[in-house]
Structures are given as C-alpha cells and as structure tokens.
Amino acid sequence: MTVREMRCGLGRLVFGERTLLMGVLNITPDSFSGDGLLVGPDWLDRVVEMGRRMVREGADLLDVGGESTRPGADPVPVEEELRRVVPAVRALREAVDVPISVDTTKAQVARAALVEGADLINDVSALRFDPEMVRVVAEFGCPVVLMHMKGTPKDMQHHPQYQDVVAEVRDFLWERIQWAEARGISRDRIIVDPGFGFGKRPEHNLALVRHLKVFRELGCPVLLGPSRKSTIGVLLGGLPPLERVEGTAAMVALAVAFGVDVVRVHDVRVMAQVLRVADAVVRGWRPVG
Ligand code: HH2
C-alpha cells in the first residue's frame, strides 16, 4: 500500500501505514449519538478533558463540531456556532498536539477556527452550502474533507433513492474534487468521504462500505464515519446509539478491510483497539510501540 503524507498545520497526516482515528467532539446539546458536550456552565472544561482523553486513548486527530447534522436537524445560527467552536478550538489547541479538524459548513466558522489554530476543515456539504467556504480553504491551504450528502440534514432521510449508490457517490465526489481544484485547492489536500448515513438507507450505507475501494480510485484518502449511526441500530434490531459500540466495531474493522484511510468515531479507546487488530491483519503486524 502506498504511503502518502499530507501537511496539516504544524504536523502532518500519514496515510497508508495504518488507519487513522479521528475522535468526535460534538459541542452541541442535541447530537444523535448522545455525546453532545454543550451541557452546563463548565462545558469547555469537559471538552478539553474529553479531547485529552481521546488523544491518550489513540486519536490521531480530533473533529470539533458545533452543529448537529442528525436527520431533521435545523441549522444553528452562525453566531451560536462560533460561540461553541471558537473557544473549544482555542482551548484544545493549548491542550493537545494532534491536528484539530472543524466540522462545519460555514465559512465564517471555518475561518475563525483556522485563525485559532485548527488544522483542517471537515465540510459535510463538500463546499456547497456556503459559497465563501472554498475561498477560506484555498487561502489557508489546509486539508479539507469533502463528503457526499443527498439533500440537507433537514430532509436527507426523506426516502433517499439511487439507481446505483456507489457510482452516484463516486461521480459526485469526483465532480467536487475537480470543482475544488479549479478554485485553488490542491488535490493532495483533499480527503473524500462517501457520507455514511447522509441521505442513505441501510442498504446504501452497506454498499458504500463494501465498495470503499471505488472511492480510493479517486486518488484521495478516504474517510468513513459509521460510528453509532442508525444503520447499525437497524441491523441490531433497534438498539439506541449508546448501545451501538460493538456494531460500530464490526463496521470499522470491515472498513479497514475494504481500504479506508481514516475512521471518524466516538468510542476512541475501543476503536483504537479494533484498528490495531484490523490493521495487523490487513496491512501486516507491527509490535505495539
Ligand atoms: N457524521 C456526522 C458528522 N460529521 N463528517 C464526516 N466527514 N463524516 C461523517 O460520517 C460525519 C461527519 C454525524 O455524526 P455526529 O457528529 O456524531 O452527530 P451530530 O451531527 O448529530 O452531531
């Protein structure tokens, strides 16, 4: 497997040696996964504590989000998203030395976070929701995650339909890569994500995992975020999000087998172990360092 480096803030992300683990920090009161940290006056302390813990447990990067994208969610006003994300990035920048990603579709939030020391932008709209976003990413020269979503979080689960989900998601991502490149974002800064759970039924999500290699052929590292999502609950007879850890583990291990580069997860300690074992099978065993 080819090893590739991506400059990321003061550090770098190395893809291809082992699967990278992105830990999710939701600065929200309403995330679907049940882990939203925006509760009570000491929320910022809890964000820092959680961020530190995730790094200790094996997170290679952290993904900070101030707006839930769960199905049916209303957008958060930009002032509120800034109030959540900016202090969190500032405090985490002091507390941890792994790259910090910001999960936002808003250019103003991305810019403010990058100024505070964030290293990459995770845009679930693939630079479509805010016309300024592409300029911010190009100006800072930071890595960006381009994710596929059908519709918006508000309506994406209203009967999503595809003729061929894998081909449609691949074509969408290819179009977004070319669109971003034409606007000054170099290909070697782009990570693609088929968008597990974003405008997809369970059978669509399963097909995307099974065909992850198709997305690798786009020439960019591939990220997947199956953690605690409803497809896993459906497969397990309706288990709620906090009881989907084992199901997530199975999905993560298979994503490794099918060629994923980065997994975005809530349960860092457990998934770090899953990755170590799955990577040993898929990429070859290396002693614990
Ligand atoms: N999933 C969520 C949010 N951001 N970003 C990428 N690139 N890929 C994903 O699959 C993805 C994402 C949804 O998970 P979570 O952040 O835990 O929930 P919520 O949006 O409700 O806060």
Side-chain angles (χ1 to χ4, degrees):
M1 225 170 259
T2 38
V3 175
R4 162 180 357 176
E5 292 189 8
M6 196 181 277
R7 235 179 348 102
C8 189
L10 296 176
R12 67 207 169 106
L13 295 171
V14 181
F15 300 100
E17 272 181 0
R18 60 182 178 78
T19 309
L20 300 183
L21 193 157
M22 175 188 254
V24 180
L25 286 170
N26 283 320
I27 324 293
T28 57
D30 58 349
S31 286
F32 86 92
S33 54
D35 71 337
L37 292 164
L38 193 72
V39 189
D42 60 343
W43 65 269
L44 194 52
D45 294 339
R46 261 180 294 118
V47 169
V48 170
E49 190 188 312
M50 178 75 104
R52 282 205 175 106
R53 191 168 93 209
M54 285 182 168
V55 173
R56 269 199 316 275
E57 291 178 347
D60 297 293
L61 62 166
L62 299 176
D63 191 36
V64 178
E67 175 176 67
S68 173
T69 50
R70 73 182 189 287
D74 284 315
V76 170
V78 66
E79 297 73 26
E80 176 60 15
E81 200 177 323
L82 285 165
R83 188 183 77 79
R84 298 175 183 181
V85 169
V86 171
V89 170
R90 190 180 299 143
L92 285 165
R93 187 64 300 159
E94 291 285 307
V96 301
D97 56 9
V98 299
I100 298 173
S101 157
V102 175
D103 185 349
T104 187
T105 59
K106 298 188 184 77
Q108 233 182 302
V109 175
R111 177 181 291 282
L114 289 163
V115 167
E116 290 296 340
D119 302 293
L120 66 151
I121 299 301
N122 172 22
D123 184 344
V124 297
S125 82
L127 310 175
R128 290 176 305 140
F129 288 179
D130 185 335
E132 286 300 313
M133 186 63 118
V134 66
R135 275 188 278 280
V136 173
V137 173
E139 180 189 324
F140 280 81
C142 61
V144 62
V145 180
L146 302 180
M147 195 196 81
H148 174 270
M149 175 185 343
K150 202 177 180 81
T152 63
K154 189 83 190 150
D155 63 16
M156 65 189 180
Q157 290 308 108
H158 293 171
H159 312 295
Q161 298 211 1
Y162 300 85
Q163 292 285 330
D164 178 342
V165 66
V166 176
E168 286 177 45
V169 171
R170 180 204 55 209
D171 292 351
F172 169 91
L173 292 173
W174 179 235
E175 186 273 324
R176 297 317 292 164
I177 291 170
Q178 290 182 308
W179 187 91
E181 271 192 310
R183 285 157 186 78
I185 299 177
S186 91
R187 170 106 48 119
D188 57 16
R189 294 292 168 97
I190 297 175
I191 298 168
V192 293
D193 180 345
F196 191 107
F198 284 84
K200 282 117 188 162
R201 293 202 300 266
E203 60 270 32
H204 300 138
N205 292 317
L206 297 174
L208 292 174
V209 177
R210 204 176 296 126
H211 293 97
L212 277 177
K213 289 216 162 66
V214 169
F215 308 115
R216 288 185 71 101
E217 285 160 16
L218 296 168
C220 300
V222 177
L223 183 148
L224 192 77
S227 187
R228 299 187 190 171
K229 286 196 176 153
S230 69
T231 287
I232 293 169
V234 169
L235 294 173
L236 299 175
L239 285 182
L242 291 171
E243 293 176 37
R244 297 175 189 163
V245 180
E246 294 86 348
T248 301
M251 205 63 90
V252 164
L254 286 162
V256 172
F258 288 120
V260 81
D261 293 285
V262 189
V263 289
R264 180 183 182 279
V265 296
H266 302 89
D267 304 285
V268 172
R269 187 185 62 78
V270 175
M271 300 310 151
Q273 292 186 7
V274 170
L275 286 184
R276 198 172 275 283
V277 173
D279 272 339
V281 174
V282 173
R283 302 173 194 260
W285 178 74
R286 290 187 308 168
V288 178

